[in-house]
Amino acid sequence: MKMCSHDADHEKYADVNWDELEFGVVPTDYMYTMKCSKGDEFSQGHLTPYGNIELSPSAGVLNYGQGLFEGLKANRTEDGRFLLFRPEENALRMKMGAERMCMPSPSPQQFLDAVKQTVLANKRWVPPTGKGTLYLRPLLIGSGSVLGLGPAPEYTFLIFASPVGSYHKGRAALNLYVEDKLHRATPGGTGGVKSITNYSPVYLAQKQARAKGFSDVLFLDSLTGKNIEEITACNVFILKGNVISTPTIHGTVLPGITRKSIIDIARDFGYQVEERVIPVEDLLEADEAFCTGTAVVVTPIGAVTYQDKRVEYKTGKGALSHKLYETITGIQTGRLEDKKGWTMEIN
C-alpha cells in the first residue's frame, strides 16, 4: 500500500502547531532512564514512555537538593538530518558538576548514547527547520533515600525532551536590571556547575525586576558588588570598539558552551576577545551588550538599568549580536558549513 504524502507527513511530525511554539514543556513520547548505586558505575539504561517518576519522600534530591541538570538541543536540517551541537561538552560539564556534588556520573559515551537514543525515539517532535528545536534536559539526581545529611545511596540519570520555540518571544532585545542586593553565586560555592540549587534562588530578584517592567536580572559578584557576572540563566558579553569582553570563569560563572563557541566565532570575525573582571562601569559605557546560552542562543541586550542610571545599546540587524546569532544558528542547523567539527549528526 502506498502511503500518501499527508500520512507520511503525519509520521514525520507530531501534531503540534509549530508556528505557535513557545519555550515550555510539551510532553513527548519517550524519556531515557539509567540508575546507579553509590560506589558503582552507571551501566545499561533504557527508554520508557514519558511520564511521572516515582521517588521516595526521603530522596536526596528532594531533601538536600543533590542534583544537576544539562540543557542541549537537537536541530532538524533543511534536508531532514538531525544535528546536536557540541554534546560532548555537556557530557564533560555534567561529569565536572557530579564531582562537585559527590555523585557518580555517566561516562561521556553513555551520556552521548542516551542523548542520541532520546532524540531518535522522539524524532517526530523535532520541529521543522526555522520553527524551533527539540530541547533535551539531562538530569542527574540523588534518588536514593537519605535522612542524615550526606550523599544519597542511589542515583538516577534521566533525559526528557520537549520541542521549544525561542526563549524570549521573538528574540526581543532584553531590558535588564542590575541587581545589587541579591546574589546568584559565591566564591567556593556551586555557581560554576549546573547544580539545581543555583536556580530557584534567582526567582525573587527576577520577580521583583519583572514587576518593575524589566525582562531579566544581571547579577554582580558577591565579594565586591562592583563587577558583572551572569544573568539568571545565561552568560553576558559587552562590546567596546573592536574588543569583546565577558566575565572570566573562576567558580561563580557557569562555563557556557554557547559562550565558549561565541568566543571562537568572534575571534574568527577579527574581534579581540577578553575574559576578564568587568566593572559595572564598563557595561554602562559599552557600545553593545548581549547574552548567550543554550536556551537564549545569542540575545541582544537593549537596555540596562543600574541604580538610577539607564543606558541603551545598539541592537537590530547591524548589531554584532545579530551576526553572531546568524552564524551560530547557521552551524547548528546545517545551513552554514561546520568547519570546527562542532555538530554531531544522529542517525
Side-chain angles (χ1 to χ4, degrees), residues 21-309:
L21 203 53
E22 296 186 343
F23 196 96
V25 178
V26 176
T28 52
D29 297 328
Y30 294 97
M31 61 186 189
Y32 184 94
T33 312
M34 181 161 60
K35 289 187 187 290
C36 168
S37 295
K38 189 163 102 181
D40 283 353
E41 290 181 353
F42 280 97
S43 52
Q44 198 55 44
H46 57 279
L47 290 162
T48 53
Y50 178 85
N52 292 344
I53 59 171
E54 203 168 276
L55 277 178
S56 160
S58 54
V61 65
L62 297 179
N63 291 265
Y64 304 122
Q66 195 186 19
L68 287 167
F69 74 88
E70 270 301 328
L72 64 163
K73 290 171 169 176
N75 283 280
R76 190 188 290 263
T77 65
E78 291 285 4
D79 57 0
R81 295 173 299 126
F82 300 112
L83 296 180
L84 293 170
F85 184 73
R86 308 189 79 174
E88 66 289 345
E89 294 285 340
N90 298 90
L92 293 170
R93 189 168 64 181
M94 176 167 270
K95 194 169 169 45
M96 181 180 82
E99 285 166 14
R100 176 66 179 84
M101 302 295 285
C102 296
M103 298 193 285
S105 62
S107 69
Q109 196 52 55
Q110 286 174 322
F111 182 100
L112 294 175
D113 288 345
V115 167
K116 288 177 186 175
Q117 286 187 48
T118 309
V119 174
L120 290 175
N122 294 299
K123 64 184 181 188
R124 65 196 195 98
W125 298 91
V126 184
T129 314
K131 301 290 187 188
T133 56
L134 184 70
Y135 185 86
L136 297 143
R137 172 55 62 85
L139 284 168
L140 180 61
I141 60 171
S143 49
S145 172
V146 59
L147 190 58
L149 192 61
E154 182 205 70
Y155 296 87
T156 301
F157 171 70
L158 66 88
I159 305 178
F160 68 90
S162 177
V164 296
S166 79
Y167 191 75
H168 293 288
K169 206 63 185 149
R171 287 190 64 255
L174 301 182
N175 174 19
L176 296 183
Y177 178 74
V178 179
E179 175 57 61
D180 57 0
K181 293 179 182 66
L182 299 169
H183 294 286
R184 180 192 163 272
T186 54
T190 57
V193 298
K194 279 189 87 72
S195 165
I196 60 173
T197 55
N198 293 344
Y199 293 86
S200 54
V202 306
Y203 297 167
L204 180 61
Q206 201 176 46
K207 180 182 166 190
Q208 290 170 349
R210 285 180 175 163
K212 295 179 196 161
F214 296 101
S215 41
D216 217 330
V217 174
L218 175 59
F219 290 95
L220 300 174
D221 76 295
S222 61
L223 274 187
T224 70
K226 292 186 164 90
N227 307 310
I228 64 170
E229 283 204 329
E230 200 166 322
I231 301 170
T232 54
C234 49
N235 296 113
V236 65
F237 286 77
I238 62 170
L239 171 68
K240 182 75 175 173
N242 191 51
V243 182
I244 297 169
S245 305
T246 191
T248 190
I249 301 289
H250 53 66
T252 52
V253 171
L254 190 79
I257 295 158
T258 311
R259 172 190 180 277
K260 185 177 180 174
S261 309
I262 286 299
I263 289 172
D264 284 355
I265 292 169
R267 284 183 176 142
D268 289 348
F269 284 165
Y271 288 89
Q272 183 183 329
V273 183
E274 296 178 347
E275 295 180 67
R276 63 179 176 92
V277 171
I278 303 178
V280 73
E281 289 73 28
D282 289 11
L283 167 73
L284 300 176
E285 289 165 13
D287 303 328
E288 199 180 317
F290 55 90
C291 61
T292 65
T294 297
V296 301
V297 194
V298 181
T299 297
I301 295 169
V304 155
T305 299
Y306 173 61
Q307 293 170 352
D308 56 359
K309 189 169 185 184

Side-chain angles (χ1 to χ4, degrees), residues 3-13:
M3 190 185 271
C4 75
S5 65
H6 180 74
D7 288 342
D9 211 45
H10 179 72
E11 281 294 305
K12 190 175 171 183
Y13 290 114

